[in-house]
Amino acid sequence: PSIPAKSEGRGSRLPLRLLFVGRLEYNKGLHLLLQALQDMSGYELTVVGDGSELAHLRSLAVGKNKVILFCGFQSDVSHYYRNADIFVMPSMGPEGLPLVTIEAMSYGLPCVLSDLPVHVEVSQNGTGAMLFKSGDAASLRSELQKLMDCQQERDKVGDAAYQLVLQRHSPQVASKAYVSAL
């Protein structure tokens, strides 16, 4: 597989399209994102995934000012990455290598990630993402609001994310790492 061409043309459309991709389990933190978005407007949240918390999360999503689309499990999520403005991964851990986060970064999406050690590492200490205090909906809301309020900030974080993936996770970089390990 290769790194996709960075998605262009997101511009300053409204509503902003937020994206969550992952299992719908408590530790993935989608409930925190729903709490952080409470009483906010100007967004549409797309949730891609399935799991034991689906019914509970749907009940949390009911309410005014909330446009939340639950799309279920999808074998190919590239369309969702290409059409999103901001990716959010509020996981409370534990996490291994967060592939959905690396995928989102590879599309040049600005990401808001919990400050789990693996997210700190993948984002190079927050260079390629906005980090918030894990488990803290208010911290998540604050970092998300910064991106939602400023197109320039979204562009800056998204560009940094894309560059990090090219530098650290491209097929060429992986091949060199495997060859040197052998």
Side-chain angles (χ1 to χ4, degrees), residues 81-93:
Y81 291 126
R82 276 194 302 276
N83 290 295
D85 296 303
I86 299 171
F87 176 80
V88 185
M89 178 44 67
S91 177
M92 300 180 298

Side-chain angles (χ1 to χ4, degrees), residues 33-169:
L33 177 56
L34 296 175
Q35 183 180 349
L37 290 170
Q38 190 152 357
D39 300 324
M40 289 176 73
S41 60
Y43 72 88
E44 172 183 288
L45 172 62
T46 299
V47 176
V48 178
D50 199 1
S52 67
E53 291 286 306
L54 176 61
H56 175 66
L57 292 164
R58 279 186 188 268
S59 72
L60 293 176
V62 174
K64 68 177 191 173
N65 295 338
K66 292 188 179 188
V67 178
I68 301 173
L69 309 168
F70 286 87
C71 299
F73 172 80
Q74 303 291 317
S75 59
D76 180 6
V77 295
S78 58
H79 164 78
Y80 297 97
Y81 291 126
R82 276 194 302 276
N83 290 295
D85 296 303
I86 299 171
F87 176 80
V88 185
M89 178 44 67
S91 177
M92 300 180 298
E95 289 291 337
L97 180 62
L99 291 178
V100 296
T101 299
I102 294 170
E103 288 174 353
M105 292 171 71
S106 77
Y107 282 87
L109 273 172
C111 298
V112 180
L113 312 172
S114 58
D115 65 355
L116 297 175
V118 70
H119 288 153
V120 171
E121 180 183 343
V122 165
S123 71
Q124 200 166 18
N125 297 314
T127 301
M130 304 291 279
L131 298 174
F132 72 93
K133 184 172 173 31
S134 181
D136 186 336
S139 176
L140 169 54
R141 181 184 177 109
S142 175
E143 295 306 310
L144 183 56
Q145 191 70 63
K146 290 175 190 173
L147 284 179
M148 290 177 70
D149 287 347
C150 184
Q151 177 66 48
Q152 284 181 304
E153 189 69 13
R154 289 193 300 275
D155 291 343
K156 182 181 103 180
V157 174
D159 289 344
Y162 184 73
Q163 291 305 316
L164 277 176
V165 171
L166 287 178
Q167 294 166 10
R168 302 174 82 197
H169 301 285

Side-chain angles (χ1 to χ4, degrees), residues 7-29:
S7 296
E8 297 292 343
R10 286 192 175 92
S12 56
R13 63 184 169 214
L14 288 176
L16 288 173
R17 292 179 280 189
L18 311 180
L19 177 64
F20 170 92
V21 177
R23 289 187 331 272
L24 303 185
E25 303 298 338
Y26 181 80
N27 70 308
K28 291 298 184 176

